[in-house]
Amino acid sequence: MRSYQQTVDFYGILTAVKPTTILHFIVSAAIMGACAPAPPPPPAITSTATTVITPTEIPTISATPTLEVEIQELSVLPGSTPGDWTVIGLLENQSGQQLTAISVEISVLDATDTLLDMQNIPIFLSHLGPGETSPFKVHFLDVGIVTTANAKILAHETTPFGRAQVKVEDLSSVPTGDGRLAILGMVVNSSSKHVIIHNLGILGVDSESHLVDFTSSATLLSTLAPGEKTPFLAIMEADPGEVEFNPYIDATTTLNPEENVFSTPEPPKVLLTEQGAPLVVGSIRNEDNRPRWVAFLLILKLEEEIVTVAPVRPPIPLQPGESLAYAISDFPGLRAQLARYASHAGALSAEIVADLHASQPTERITVPMDLRITHFEPIGSSLILKGVISNSGEIDVESVTVLVAVRSTSGELLTAGWSTIAQTLAINDTLEFILPLSLPQGADLAMSEYDLQVLGLAP
């Protein structure tokens, strides 16, 4: 485990500037040692083949006024499978304008300068102020031996926004046990205004300033009140080794904070499986008079120390007055965190916080469907349900989702879960499904009650 206790000022990172260059350009990236002839190289075990490329200025003709933007760095890394590659870059806004919707075109070429593949992607930060920098990352699969990567700006918009002053603090990382790396930290709103957090990602940079990896997957609240802070969790798909973690966060001010319209009829409760792993169960209720998407942040603590967080985001909106049970058992890096504190899962406590900005009202209508259970089997700490879904209604449905809650005969919630089985199900069609559920210690399934339903969304 590596711990990074220093405070990182996001605004200071974003305002670090480098020499200016012109908006439209092409950056060529040559990879060390990648010019060997076929057959393709064997799978790379680590990401040590990173090459940092010095930008080359090639002005192009534009029908719009020139905007000063620079690709600061462009790194190309081999994937775990021959022919797979990842391109990571940094783009800096050196103009005096606030930019949004910036997209870049990334192309990869072989030793003969033959185009192997091309992708158009947005940069990571949705908003980019003067002097601010944003990463971008793209994967190329099964394209052969790449020797050159090019990057150029495709599009942008100029849109005014209020940049929020937020800080990222207390970065630490632990292995997940399956080869990934869990990065935990805190986001602090140090301003006097409510803020919306649009994106948060972590860039890994080695001791030679090579861009090693970037992850844009972060679990956190998307709104913060003045002075409020929230934990976040980001996952890197492979442990990058000894690197420095640089956070990139897109936060803007808002004058209209959301109001909480959710309640928790059953507060989160930490149960343990037969293997001693935590299983957190509870329920949430929509008190609004409109259907809403549901987004919560589940926080696990040892005493007052936050050890991990997890999202609670069902794929079906919650109707007015409707309650939904949940059971969460996936906590990447928790085992390493418990070992760090020389503690055990039984000492954990849980709390749940509504992500109000992400829990928006919706006009989508839920459609019930028929469900028939064909197989019911407890295996260890899991319950396996198999069945058949039928659409006997009058319309095709989307986002077909099975929802299950299991309670004791006294009404105590034992487990719950949901799974989106299909994106669409046509009229009169049927579909088989399998849904595994985690079980707590001592669960008596023969003396339990089951609430099962299948819902889809009207197109």
Side-chain angles (χ1 to χ4, degrees):
M1 182 201 67
R2 298 179 299 282
S3 179
Y4 305 86
Q5 298 297 329
Q6 72 272 23
T7 297
V8 182
D9 189 332
F10 156 70
Y11 189 77
I13 293 175
L14 292 185
T15 52
V17 295
K18 294 190 175 182
T20 60
T21 186
I22 305 301
L23 166 66
H24 298 281
F25 54 83
I26 296 177
V27 180
S28 295
I31 305 172
M32 297 182 190
C35 297
I45 304 302
T46 63
S47 300
T48 56
T50 306
T51 302
V52 178
I53 308 304
T54 303
T56 302
E57 296 187 53
I58 303 180
T60 61
I61 299 175
S62 173
T64 58
T66 299
L67 184 68
E68 293 183 346
V69 175
E70 178 188 276
I71 298 290
Q72 292 183 330
E73 297 178 18
L74 194 66
S75 296
V76 186
L77 303 103
S80 58
T81 302
D84 293 355
W85 302 85
T86 298
V87 178
I88 305 174
L90 284 174
L91 180 149
E92 183 181 21
N93 175 14
Q94 295 184 340
S95 74
Q97 304 181 59
Q98 292 183 318
L99 306 180
T100 59
I102 302 175
S103 62
V104 293
E105 179 184 271
I106 311 296
S107 56
V108 289
L109 302 90
D110 63 13
T112 64
D113 288 335
T114 300
L115 179 65
L116 299 176
D117 200 0
M118 177 188 299
Q119 294 189 48
N120 300 331
I121 61 168
I123 65 170
F124 177 64
L125 298 186
S126 306
H127 308 78
L128 202 63
E132 295 180 351
T133 303
S134 173
F136 56 87
K137 178 180 178 180
V138 60
H139 298 289
F140 292 92
L141 305 179
D142 194 24
V143 295
I145 301 178
V146 174
T147 59
T148 305
N150 296 334
K152 67 178 182 180
I153 309 300
L154 275 186
H156 74 277
E157 297 177 5
T158 55
T159 308
F161 57 86
R163 175 58 81 200
Q165 300 295 319
V166 297
K167 295 187 295 183
V168 174
E169 300 179 340
D170 302 329
L171 284 177
S172 64
S173 64
V174 292
T176 63
D178 57 3
R180 299 180 297 164
L181 189 72
I183 304 167
L184 186 68
M186 298 292 296
V187 177
V188 181
N189 177 13
S190 55
S191 72
S192 60
K193 298 180 180 179
H194 285 79
V195 302
I196 297 175
I197 300 174
H198 304 276
N199 300 305
L200 189 152
I202 302 294
L203 179 68
V205 181
D206 67 15
S207 59
E208 298 180 355
S209 299
H210 296 169
L211 310 184
V212 175
D213 200 1
F214 176 75
T215 177
S216 60
S217 56
T219 298
L220 79 164
L221 294 180
S222 59
T223 54
L224 290 177
E228 189 179 10
K229 60 183 179 180
T230 180
F232 74 87
L233 183 72
I235 303 294
M236 283 189 171
E237 292 303 314
D239 190 334
E242 294 298 327
V243 298
E244 177 184 354
F245 292 134
N246 295 330
Y248 287 82
I249 184 168
D250 185 3
T252 59
T253 58
T254 178
L255 300 178
N256 299 304
E258 304 284 343
E259 294 184 3
N260 188 13
V261 292
F262 294 97
S263 62
T264 54
E266 296 166 293
K269 181 180 180 180
V270 180
L271 307 177
L272 298 179
T273 68
E274 291 292 344
Q275 289 75 32
L279 172 65
V280 182
V281 299
S283 66
I284 50 184
R285 178 182 173 88
N286 178 15
E287 304 289 357
D288 198 5
N289 58 3
R290 298 171 294 176
R292 281 185 176 267
W293 296 107
V294 180
F296 278 72
L297 186 67
L298 180 64
I299 303 172
L300 288 189
K301 294 182 176 182
L302 282 172
E303 296 182 351
E304 294 304 313
E305 191 75 21
I306 296 174
V307 291
T308 193
V309 295
V312 181
R313 292 200 173 202
I316 295 292
L318 209 55
Q319 301 302 305
E322 186 178 17
S323 295
L324 179 68
Y326 62 86
I328 308 298
S329 59
D330 185 17
F331 301 102
L334 179 58
R335 180 177 298 181
Q337 287 282 50
L338 292 174
R340 173 188 176 188
Y341 290 100
S343 188
H344 56 89
L348 292 168
S349 62
E351 63 182 61
I352 195 165
V353 184
D355 190 340
L356 302 177
H357 180 69
S359 301
Q360 291 294 316
T362 178
E363 300 297 327
R364 299 298 299 270
I365 299 173
T366 54
V367 179
M369 281 170 287
D370 299 328
L371 170 67
R372 179 170 58 91
I373 298 297
T374 60
H375 188 77
F376 174 97
E377 183 179 6
I379 302 177
S381 292
S382 298
L383 171 63
I384 307 299
L385 296 177
K386 297 182 181 180
V388 178
I389 300 168
S390 303
N391 180 8
S392 58
E394 299 179 351
I395 59 173
D396 297 344
V397 294
E398 300 175 353
S399 189
V400 180
T401 302
V402 179
L403 302 102
V404 180
V406 182
R407 298 180 181 274
S408 67
T409 53
S410 62
E412 180 184 6
L413 180 62
L414 300 177
T415 190
W418 52 74
S419 178
T420 299
I421 308 301
Q423 294 304 313
T424 59
L425 189 62
I427 300 172
N428 297 324
D429 275 1
T430 61
L431 182 67
E432 294 182 347
F433 74 90
I434 300 176
L435 178 61
L437 300 172
S438 296
L439 294 174
Q441 292 175 348
D444 187 352
L445 297 180
M447 298 296 293
S448 300
E449 299 176 348
Y450 299 81
D451 180 12
L452 298 96
Q453 58 179 327
V454 180
L455 297 174
L457 297 177

